[in-house]
Structures are given as C-alpha cells and as structure tokens.
Amino acid sequence: MAQVPQTFFDALAVRTWCGLALETLGRAREEIDAINVYPVADGDTGTNLYLTVESAVAAVEAVFAGHAAGSGPDGPTLADAARAMAHGALIGARGNSGTILAQLLRGMAQVLADDDPAHADGQGLRLALRQAADSARRAVAHPVEGTVLTVASAAADAADGAQGDCGTVARAAYDGARAALAATPGQLPVLERAGVVDAGGRGLVAVLGALVETFTGERARGVAGSAGTGPFRDPHARVEPAVGPVPVDGVLDECADGAAAVPGQEGPAFEVIYLLEAEDRAVERLRERLDALGDSLVVVGGDGLWNVHVHVDDAGAAVEAGIEAGRPHRIRITHFGASDVHTTGAERPPRERAQRAVVAVVPGEGLAGLYTEAGATTVLARPGEPPASGELVQAVRRAHAREVVLLPNDAELRHTAAAAAEQVRTEGIRVALIPTRSAVQGIAALAVHEPDRRFDEDVVSMTSAAGATRYAEVTVAERQSWTMAGICQAGDVLGLIDGDVAVIGSDVAETAETVLDRMLSAGGEMVTLVLGDDVPDAVAGHLEGRVREGYLAVDTVVYRGGRQGALLLIGVE
C-alpha cells in the first residue's frame, strides 16, 4: 500500500524512512546475503544491515514514545529523531557494511540536526547526503572502489545536481546509486568473477529506495527482488551463500586464544567488533595500531562513543588496543569459517549439532560469564540497549542445537523473544520459550536444566523453577514519579519486588534489607544476590548476615553482575 508522502524532512519523515528501510531490507535480506562475497564471503551482509537499521528504528521509536508519555503537546524535533537514528545505528551496527551504514546515518544526522531546524528541504537533504558519503569514506582506513562507499558517493553526486524538493533529491540520489551499483563488478575483480554486485552497495540502494518512498509515497523501482533479477546479479552466475559463525557477545567463537588462523588462509582469521568509550585523541592512536594489525578497518562515531570494526589474526591484540584507548564493550569476535573467501586449504567438516542448548539474555558481563560456565549461549543486554529479535535469532543459530530453551530474563523482552522463536522454528529448530522476567529466575531455571532428559520434561522443570523464584531489584530513581509505594524523587533508592516499586529509601543496604525481609516473610530456601559494579562488597556482607541471623534455614549465594543497570538483583527460591 502506498505511503502518505512527507513534504519535508522532519521527525516524522525520519521515523517513516527508518521503518520503510527496515521493511525493504527485510524483503531483500536473503538476496543480499546470497551475493555477499566481499570483503569476506560470510553470507551475512543483508542480515547485518537489517540488524543495524532495526536498532535505529528502536531508538527512534523510543524517542517518539518518550514524547507521547510526556505532558507537552509537541512531538520530537528533527534533531531529536535524527540523533536517535544515528545513535541507534551506531550501537547496533553489525559487520563491515552495517558499521559503514551507521556512519552514513550519523553523517546525515550531523546536517539534519544542525541548529535544530524544524525541518529540512531539498537543499538540506542534498547537504546531508554529501556529508554522509564524505564522513563514511573518512571512517574507512583504506577505501576501496566498487563498494558501498562508491555507491554512497555516487548518490551524493547525483543529489548535488538535483533541484527541487526532498522527493526530487531522493529520487536522483537513488538513481545515481543504482547506476553506480551496476558498475561495481567492473571495479572489483572478486565481484566480476562471481557475477554479482557489491552486497553492501545493494543494501544502501534499498535504504535509498525507502527514502524515495518516504517523500513520494511510491515504492522505488527495483528495490525488492530476487538475486537473479535486474542489474544486481548476473542470472547465469552461480554463487553459493557462505555460512559462517555468527558474532559472539564478548566470547571468542571456536578458538579461545584468539591467535590461531585456519591453515592455508590468505587473509585475517577473525572479525572483531566492539563499542568503545574513548576520547578523539585516543581513537586516532587506536586507528594506527589496528591498521597495523589487520585490514577492513572501520572506526565510526564520535562524541565519546565509537564503533570499531577490523579483521585480524590476533583478536586478543585488537581488544587490548581498545582497552588501552578507552572502555570497550559489546565485544563480538567471529572466527571466519572454512567456507569463506580467505580459505584455500583443506576444509573442515561441518560441526555436528548438539541435541539441546540454552540461550539466555543477561544484563551484565559478570552474569554472562556465569551463564556461559553453566553451558548457556548468552546475549548481552546493556542498560537502554535491549537486544533485537535478530540478535536472539543469531544466538539460537550460534548455539547449533536441535532443541533450544530460550530465557529472555526480562518481561519487556517476551514479545521480542517470541518473534525470534517463531523465526527459528521455520528453520527446523525446536524452541521452548520460558517467560523469565529476571536474570535470577534464569539462574534458577538453569540450575535444574538436564540436557539428557526428555525435552518437554526439561522445559517443565525449568519453568517450574523459574516460576517458584520471586525476583526483586534495587535501583536509583532517575526522576520524580508516582509509584505504588508513594511519590519518589530523583536520586531515591527504589526497591522493586516482582516488577513493582515496594520500598522507597535513601540507603542501598537498608532498602535492600527491607526488600529481602518482605520477600522472605512468605518463606524461602535460597537467596541469590547479584551485585552491580557500583555496589560495595560490604552490602552483600550485610545482607548475608541478615539472612544468617534472621532466617536459619535459608542459604545465600552472591555473584558480581558487572554493568547490569540495577544496583542489586535479588532472587528468593
């Protein structure tokens, strides 16, 4: 159905564009994955672009939801929406092409948010597209023609020559990008040999097609389609999509030391991606060091937050370089499989699927380590950065099992997890979703997990253990608000039991003790305490002492959760 066209580039246009781009990439994802042969034929460019835009959409929707929940009549400004789009893409960027797309969106946002205008016209869109192409090219250590950078530059060049409104400029950019995409096989020999166009450039054409639809209400020609139609692929060529391992949150896939490469390999063995909190000067030094370590280096971002992507043989050294520059997190290291374009030696046999696995969302690095030790595949969810359904799908695939138990560990992730479970079921994987609402319920479920038991029996046992575990958290109020326990002020310590505010206090230890007493008044045999980074060990010692003195038959176990959002998580079984 045709969209209502947007006249100017305002906040609603940003929202519409992001949504349409996600839909378009969803239709084209498999096609783009199938033609992905450069820089590594790992068959995931379409998926990475989709996940990057999905993160941008979530950030923009959060801004609109925040304004809707407020008391003011006005919605978000263009600057609000554009910055949210860029930030969402930055923190959710996946792979080489996804990282470059994040920088393209950031470049556009820098122009669209300049001086906080109410809206941008055709001239503003022209400037935004030019800034996007130039900033993306600067972010790549060694730009290569015949890639998404070439397509982005061609789009900006075509837009420069267009006169008129946003629809006219968008259509010119799209047509320029399409022409440049069709020419990419003549610029990169690997594309010509495979008979395909550049996959990242193909994805950018889809995103620009969504921009045309935003301003004209009409779907751009040739955006969706199979890999054997149009100028996007030679119909006589045959390219098998490569299937490689999926990025791992903070865990190295298949090789623990990060140094070994596949025998006979001609290129780096690992893809390393992480978010980095660092100053500009430190990032410049990081670029130099990573450039010496490997290739396909892309560093995007700014204002203290960066997304780093590089292909290296020594993954550990790439992460250490990030630690020296600042604070890396959401680290993902992928070991390129024997089927990728680098490999020329003997192929490894495909890995046999396990019978059963557990996939869990966890709120901090400490819990991620605990769950991993217990045999679970983890997805890290940082405060304000909930995982998208695509990330959960990738985690299920990474678990490489016939049967999977999925633990979302957050009430707000239930629908996201259900969507992921539905998708992987179509791939022949049997998935059971246990609606855990807290990581402590997940710990209880994992404690009774027995992979040798019948699947249904195991799921029932894990569900029962999770359901028998009451959960609570201690956190700090960000603003004044009404709660079930009264009015809280910004800075108050809140104790939430089963998701509702039950205690308002001023001291972490005292508030936690009150919460614990209320939970244990209904009985319990085991108390689980998960401490965040900002909570001293003395608080855990105080609570352990309280349990030991007041509840003789109750045991206590304490874990460090890392940067988990809440100061303290409490579970009572």
Side-chain angles (χ1 to χ4, degrees):
M1 190 170 88
Q3 296 290 319
V4 177
Q6 303 297 311
T7 305
F8 295 103
F9 214 145
D10 57 9
L12 182 58
V14 172
R15 185 187 199 183
T16 302
W17 179 34
C18 289
L20 290 173
L22 187 65
E23 292 177 11
T24 305
L25 285 171
R27 294 192 297 267
R29 180 182 61 80
E30 292 184 359
E31 171 197 335
I32 298 171
D33 283 344
I35 64 172
N36 172 202
V37 298
Y38 181 86
V40 178
D42 45 1
D44 63 358
T45 290
T47 299
N48 286 338
L49 289 170
Y50 180 88
L51 292 174
T52 301
V53 174
E54 187 178 44
S55 183
V57 168
V60 172
E61 290 300 324
V63 167
F64 272 86
H67 278 266
S71 56
D74 298 330
T77 65
L78 171 59
D80 292 335
R83 288 172 183 145
M85 171 186 70
H87 180 72
L90 178 68
I91 64 174
R94 297 303 184 93
N96 188 70
S97 294
T99 307
I100 293 174
L101 178 60
Q103 186 66 9
L104 288 167
L105 297 180
R106 176 179 172 79
M108 292 190 70
Q110 288 172 333
V111 173
L112 296 174
D114 188 32
D115 297 328
D116 203 8
H119 61 258
D121 56 11
Q123 172 65 7
L125 179 54
R126 283 196 296 273
L127 294 174
L129 290 168
R130 171 53 60 195
Q131 174 65 10
D134 293 347
S135 63
R137 190 169 287 269
R138 289 193 297 268
V140 177
H142 302 285
V144 175
E145 297 307 324
T147 65
V148 62
L149 297 176
T150 304
V151 176
S153 295
D157 291 343
D160 285 342
Q163 299 297 321
D165 59 12
C166 288
T168 301
V169 174
R171 192 177 294 281
Y174 172 73
D175 289 340
R178 264 179 71 89
L181 178 64
T184 55
Q187 296 171 292
L188 268 181
V190 65
L191 300 179
E192 187 174 24
R193 288 194 300 270
V196 298
V197 296
D198 179 67
R202 170 67 180 91
L204 179 57
V205 167
V207 172
L208 291 174
L211 188 64
V212 173
E213 189 173 355
T214 298
F215 292 115
T216 67
E218 300 174 359
R219 182 174 297 178
R221 56 187 175 83
V223 174
S226 68
T229 62
F232 302 129
R233 180 173 176 180
D234 179 350
H236 301 294
R238 181 174 182 270
V239 178
E240 296 293 341
V243 180
V246 179
V248 182
D249 280 316
V251 180
L252 180 63
D253 186 25
E254 298 189 20
C255 184
D257 61 11
V262 177
Q265 181 168 296
E266 294 180 342
F270 301 101
E271 178 185 59
V272 179
I273 304 175
Y274 49 80
L275 288 180
L276 177 70
E277 296 175 12
E279 298 178 353
D280 292 7
R281 189 176 304 174
V283 171
E284 287 304 314
R285 294 194 298 270
L286 174 66
R287 289 180 195 269
E288 295 176 1
R289 180 167 178 187
L290 292 179
D291 193 26
L293 284 174
D295 61 28
S296 297
L297 174 60
V298 185
V299 181
V300 304
D303 302 321
L305 182 63
W306 307 82
N307 192 306
V308 179
H309 171 281
V310 67
H311 294 174
V312 293
D313 278 331
D314 191 343
V319 175
E320 288 171 6
I323 293 173
E324 291 179 5
R327 191 184 75 83
H329 54 96
R330 295 189 77 167
I331 301 168
R332 297 180 178 89
I333 301 174
T334 303
H335 183 272
F336 292 126
S339 60
D340 70 42
V341 75
H342 290 323
T343 304
T344 59
E347 294 189 358
R348 294 173 297 177
R351 184 161 54 101
E352 178 67 23
R353 283 188 179 274
Q355 180 61 33
R356 189 173 309 157
V358 176
V359 173
V361 179
V362 290
E365 296 91 339
L367 282 177
L370 174 67
Y371 272 73
T372 300
E373 288 178 8
T377 297
T378 62
V379 177
L380 195 59
R382 293 190 168 276
E385 302 175 12
S389 61
E391 292 181 77
L392 300 186
V393 169
Q394 287 194 343
V396 171
R397 291 169 179 163
R398 190 170 76 239
H400 204 63
R402 300 180 182 88
E403 302 168 339
V404 172
V405 179
L406 185 56
L407 305 175
N409 290 340
D410 186 334
E412 295 185 359
L413 285 178
R414 181 172 181 177
H415 294 299
T416 301
E422 188 65 26
Q423 181 173 341
V424 295
R425 286 185 185 119
T426 65
E427 301 174 11
I429 302 173
R430 189 179 184 189
V431 181
L433 171 61
I434 298 179
T436 49
R437 293 171 289 176
S438 170
V440 292
Q441 288 188 320
I443 291 173
L446 200 55
V448 300
H449 168 55
E450 292 186 16
D452 294 332
R453 202 162 35 190
R454 287 180 59 248
F455 184 65
D456 292 341
E457 293 177 358
D458 197 29
V459 171
V460 169
S461 178
M462 295 176 71
T463 303
S464 177
T469 303
R470 300 190 68 196
Y471 66 97
E473 67 177 71
V474 177
T475 188
V476 175
E478 296 182 355
R479 58 185 178 276
Q480 183 188 62
S481 61
W482 290 87
T483 76
M484 294 187 66
I487 300 176
C488 71
Q489 305 296 327
D492 283 347
V493 180
L494 306 180
L496 289 79
I497 299 177
D498 294 337
D500 295 321
V501 176
V503 180
I504 301 175
S506 58
D507 179 79
V508 174
E510 291 179 0
T511 302
E513 181 178 333
T514 302
V515 168
L516 196 54
D517 283 340
R518 291 193 183 185
M519 296 177 75
L520 287 172
S521 65
E525 300 176 354
M526 169 73 74
V527 171
T528 300
L529 304 175
V530 184
L531 279 66
D533 277 345
D534 298 329
V535 179
D537 292 333
V539 171
H542 174 78
L543 296 176
E544 284 185 287
R546 172 63 182 156
V547 173
R548 187 167 52 250
E549 294 171 6
Y551 307 93
L552 299 180
V554 180
D555 294 324
T556 305
V557 59
V558 179
Y559 302 109
R560 274 286 176 186
R563 290 169 55 88
Q564 62 185 23
L567 296 172
L568 178 68
L569 300 178
I570 303 173
V572 174
E573 301 176 46

